Amino acid sequence: MRKIMMLGAAAVLATGGAAGADEWGAYGRDPGGNRFSPLTQVSASNVANLKPAWTFHTGDISDGKTKAGGPRSGFETTPLMLDGRLYLTTPFNRVIALDPATGTQLWAYDPKLDRAKPYGDGLINRGLAAWRDPKAGKGACALRLYEATLDARLVSVDAASGQPCASFGEAGEVSLRDVARYTPGQYHMTSPPIVVDGVVVVGSAIDDNARADMPDGVVRGFDARTGKLIWSWEPLQKPKDATDKTWNTGAGNAWTVLSADPKRHLVYVPTGSASPDYWGGLRPGDNRWANSVVALDARTGKLSWGFQLVHHDLWDYDTAAAPLATTLKLKGKATPVVIAGNKTGMVFVLDPATGKPVLPVEERPVPQSTLYGERSSPTQPFPTRTPALVPQGQGPEAVWAVSDADRKFCTDTIAAMSGHTMFSPPSEQGILAIPGNVGGINWSGFAWDAGHGRLIVSVSNLPAKVRMISAKNFVKGDKGDLRAETTMQMGTPFAMSREFLRAPSGLPCIKPPFGELMAVDLDAGKIVWRVPLGALEELAPGVGHIAKGSIVLGGPIVTAGGLIFQGGTMDKTLRAFSTADGKELWSAELPASAHATPMTYEVGGKQYVVVAAGGSAKVDEEKQGDALVAFALP
């Protein structure tokens, strides 16, 4: 029996099913991932009065310095609010239920995560899925919670008691390790599953660049009641004319947040790159359906349609944002759409039934690789109506710097590269990857402003230097640049060296802001407003105030009160902006940075805004924390 911590029965009964509560039932509030709340109690006119209401500490922190503690942790959960209770996950995969009005813990379920494995993303989990069993009545597991754990298990927990749902798999869990080339730690789960038509759909997170033959990025559907495997779908298919010598790859996995269209019985799956990211000589062709949005029939797993955002990816340009299914007014006509975006900073608007572009997309020629064994794609897709949200090129003449020494370093470094525009193919000389691998639209994603009919997006603008190193030179001692992340890409002729392009001062070589929040009118094809988001002063004292904006990992939500709530920055701040013009209306200091997407709900006649503040699993300079913080009007 898994360890369960419970309060007394009186405390549990006291918060059951609060009448009139406005809920947040999925990661993006609704299956389509709109992240839009109809609540108006907190509005543009009174948000300045928002105050801390309660804080809950999970106690789950790992600094990554001891093997027993595991890798460094981050706190990226977005809680659910259902039946008058708040449900969250911790970096250690514990599931916790809270009283949403007070933050008092009601129960906690511990799946006993094996924390010692080298999980490439650190110890993180972004949340849960929920499902109401129509056959359970008011009995046990009438409302079930589902979590995919870092050590590759799918667990089902009774939302009322925190007990495992015994009918699901074996004692409430199903193993997800039965995949080709499974490797503990390199194959894990960080994002929540999604439930459609009584089927729990789950993807996986697979480490980048360790080797060519990484585990398969299979997507699977399980019976929500029994845990029985119903279907599985492989994003990458080996070409008929390929052999083991000419085809050796994996991944193409769905590591980020899924969304769905229950009326069409579709699950929208965003996929990442095939392995390894920066050399694709053993995965010729477009590599469909990596770097794509695909629509799967939730009942069968059959591919309904797919749209590829990047062909034969060589830049780690994952489709990291959850697809957003909504209704958009185009030339005055209400049009159902699926909105897709990725690390290139481009936005694609697709037909939810067919996957065909609703707004035009064209294939444009791109630079071709001269690297040994590489056959890059001759073209890449570009939207022609929606603008790019971040810079996609920068020559040495346009560097930004705070000193002559910084300017010379940045200018000389870029001038020595073989390419400095988006889709410049990696080379031994080195390229400027712009956007970089955490740039553009990451898993932070976007929200839908239903009041104005606009897409609200938070983006990062941080180019990287990427250099390929021949296996021979790597063995001889070329391990990449001083601050670079370097991996062997085993099974290929090249290792990879990757680092954010920064001057000696530590500041990027590109003009700020380095992070922005913006509103996009898709019908008009323009950015209505854009504002710098966050600051780097806490990490770069003395110079951070000069450079506006921060890397963003954590997305926005929108309310009918005319507000956008956004954390995600590397400073310890939650902010509220006006949906009308992007003006910052309120901010609050947090115990740590909030690399998570906030959520909001109403219970007991009061609206709360909640965010996880725990710092980053990947940025050692950031302060760590374990706080879930709720705000409300006095």
Side-chain angles (χ1 to χ4, degrees), residues 8 13 20 25 47 80 140 143 160 195 205 241 258 275 337 418 452:
L13 293 172
V47 68
L80 304 183
L143 176 63
V195 187
D241 59 349
L258 310 176
S275 61
V337 296
S418 63
H452 293 92

Side-chain angles (χ1 to χ4, degrees), residues 47 99 107 138 152 219 259 263 279 306 311 349 369 547 556 590-591 611 616:
V47 68
D99 181 319
W107 55 255
K138 296 182 179 181
V219 179
S259 54
K263 290 184 178 179
W279 189 80
H311 309 317
V349 182
S369 177
L590 299 168
V611 71
S616 170

